[in-house]
Every structure is written in C-alpha cells, then in structure tokens.
Amino acid sequence: MLKTFAVLVVLLSSVTSFFLSEKDICEVEKARWNQCFKGFINKTTELNEIAKEVIESSSTVAPSHYQNHKNNFNSLVQCVGNIHCKGERKMIKFNFDTTGFYVEMNEGTAEQCVKEADQTVQLHNCINPKDFKFSTGNDFNNKVLSCTEEVLENTECSAEDKKNVMRGALAVKDMYDIFSDTLKNKTHVNEFDLKFDRTKYL
Ligand SMILES: *[C@@H]1O[C@H](CO)[C@@H](O)[C@H](O)[C@H]1NC(C)=O
Ligand SMILES: *[C@@H]1O[C@H](CO)[C@@H](O)[C@H](O)[C@H]1NC(C)=O
C-alpha cells in the first residue's frame, strides 16, 4: 500500500512538472522561499535582520552570522530545499550550502582545538572580519587560505582537523571568488545557475 502510494506520488509529481511551465515552477519556488523566511521572523533578532537583508537586497549573507544560530540555519536550509530556478535565490542557496559545509568542517574536535588555543576569533576573521561586506575583492579572497593556515599553526589541532578546516576555507574562498565576479553585474546575478558541490572539497 505504502509502496503504491510512493509510486503514485512520483508519477503525480512528474505529471505536474510536465504540465507546469518553467515560469510556474519558479513562481512556486519563490512562494516557498518567502514562506520559509517568514517563518524565521522573530525567532532571533539577528537572523531576522539577515533574512530581511537577504530578501530586500541582492547582497548575500556571510557565514559567521549563521554559526551562532545553527539550528535555525539548518531548518531554514531544509525548508528552502533544492533551488531549481536560476537567479538570486539560487545564489543565496549556494551561499547557504557553502556556509553549511564550512561550519561542518569546523565542528567537533576542530572547534575544540581552535578554542583551546584561543584562536576562534582569529580563525573566524580570516573569512569574516568585523567590517566584512560582499562583494569582497581579490586582495581579501586571496588571503583566506594563507590566513587560515597561519592561524592553524598557532593551534595543537591534529593534521586531520587542520585538513578539514582548510577544506571549509577553500570552499568559502571559491564562493567569494565566484560572488565577487557575479555581483559586478546584475544580469549575472539573475543568471546565476551554480549549485554547491561538496565532493569538490572532500
Ligand atoms: C514579531 O514580533 C512583533 C513585535 O514583537 C509582532 O508585532 C509581530 O506580530 C511578530 N511577527 C510574527 C510573524 O510573529
Ligand atoms: C553585464 O553582462 C551582460 C551579459 O554578459 C552584458 O551584456 C552587459 O554588457 C554587462 N553589463 C555591464 C555593465 O558590464
């Protein structure tokens, strides 16, 4: 019974997507996106501010803002789901997925050893200093990796933890490079069609 139901659902969704035009799909996606963000209003002031920022402008958010709100962040990402239609939302989703990967690579023992060496703020500043703003320039982007590496030298982190932190930093650096380029031209933002691929970094 359950199996039949599953098959039906799959069939039904392929039928609907067959009849829905690309434009319709994007309208549905946009409505879902807005609904997801609405759900976050008032959960935390900071996240609320960021959500507003994301909705109201073409600027994207920086990883650190979400590190302090991991649970909210994860449920927001889950709510948003897969973004099919190209453009600003896909770009923000790319940012979310890169951020999620960075956070994941910095979790657990890596987080501990950085904290024990009192280097948490320094590490964080490599990708997201206080006055951080998109779009970053090449000067900043090119220092992300060397900065991260230098901070890690001040820790007793294991080779494995260091490797993971560097993987996360590389993903963020690549995103900064892509975004610096994309944000130069509104047409490129509207045509943004990339999906974050974590396997590139593992
Ligand atoms: C958010 O909080 C404000 C003020 O506390 C309130 O007026 C508003 O209705 C709340 N919005 C939602 C969506 O809960
Ligand atoms: C933006 O990009 C489009 C498409 O690549 C191009 O035709 C246009 O000239 C660019 N605009 C600016 C201001 O560079």
Side-chain angles (χ1 to χ4, degrees):
M1 179 63 198
L2 207 59
K3 217 170 190 175
T4 319
F5 181 68
V7 170
L8 271 178
V9 169
V10 171
L11 270 179
L12 200 65
S13 51
S14 56
V15 169
T16 25
S17 58
F18 182 77
F19 287 115
L20 281 175
S21 72
E22 180 75 8
K23 191 163 163 274
D24 292 335
I25 292 170
C26 295
E27 281 305 312
V28 169
E29 199 167 270
K30 184 180 170 188
R32 188 184 70 211
W33 176 277
N34 290 341
Q35 203 59 43
C36 291
F37 274 92
K38 216 184 258 167
F40 279 89
I41 291 175
N42 287 359
K43 275 210 174 158
T44 75
T45 334
E46 200 186 340
L47 199 59
N48 187 9
E49 286 307 307
I50 296 161
K52 267 200 290 197
E53 206 179 293
V54 170
I55 293 163
E56 286 168 9
S57 77
S58 63
S59 73
T60 25
V61 290
S64 71
H65 290 117
Y66 282 112
Q67 276 177 333
N68 302 328
H69 303 290
K70 204 146 50 189
N71 290 340
N72 285 342
F73 174 67
N74 287 341
S75 35
L76 178 62
V77 172
Q78 210 159 34
C79 180
V80 163
N82 191 38
I83 299 296
H84 165 77
C85 302
K86 60 188 176 186
E88 195 176 293
R89 284 189 291 279
K90 196 156 192 170
M91 191 169 164
I92 295 168
K93 182 58 167 42
F94 188 94
N95 176 291
F96 285 174
D97 289 342
T98 307
T99 303
F101 181 73
Y102 179 83
V103 171
E104 191 188 320
M105 291 295 108
N106 280 269
E107 266 169 356
T109 51
E111 190 176 355
Q112 274 306 313
C113 60
V114 170
K115 202 171 174 180
E116 273 158 24
D118 211 11
Q119 297 291 311
T120 305
V121 173
Q122 285 85 339
L123 187 66
H124 180 86
N125 282 344
C126 290
I127 60 157
N128 188 210
K130 235 193 177 94
D131 56 356
F132 182 90
K133 224 172 156 51
F134 276 115
S135 98
T136 50
N138 285 339
D139 286 348
F140 179 81
N141 300 353
N142 289 339
K143 283 191 198 120
V144 167
L145 292 181
S146 57
C147 174
T148 304
E149 206 164 9
E150 276 166 35
V151 172
L152 287 174
E153 275 167 21
N154 300 329
T155 70
E156 305 280 314
C157 294
S158 69
E160 185 61 23
D161 283 336
K162 285 181 178 170
K163 200 159 86 184
N164 284 334
V165 174
M166 290 305 292
R167 283 169 167 154
L170 180 59
V172 170
K173 185 227 185 282
D174 284 350
M175 175 181 75
Y176 286 171
D177 283 342
I178 293 167
F179 281 15
S180 297
D181 229 32
T182 309
L183 288 168
K184 279 183 192 147
N185 185 328
K186 185 70 185 159
T187 309
H188 294 167
V189 172
N190 294 336
E191 294 291 316
F192 190 88
D193 203 16
L194 295 176
K195 193 171 174 209
F196 177 70
D197 177 11
R198 57 184 286 130
T199 61
K200 262 173 72 180
Y201 302 99
L202 295 173

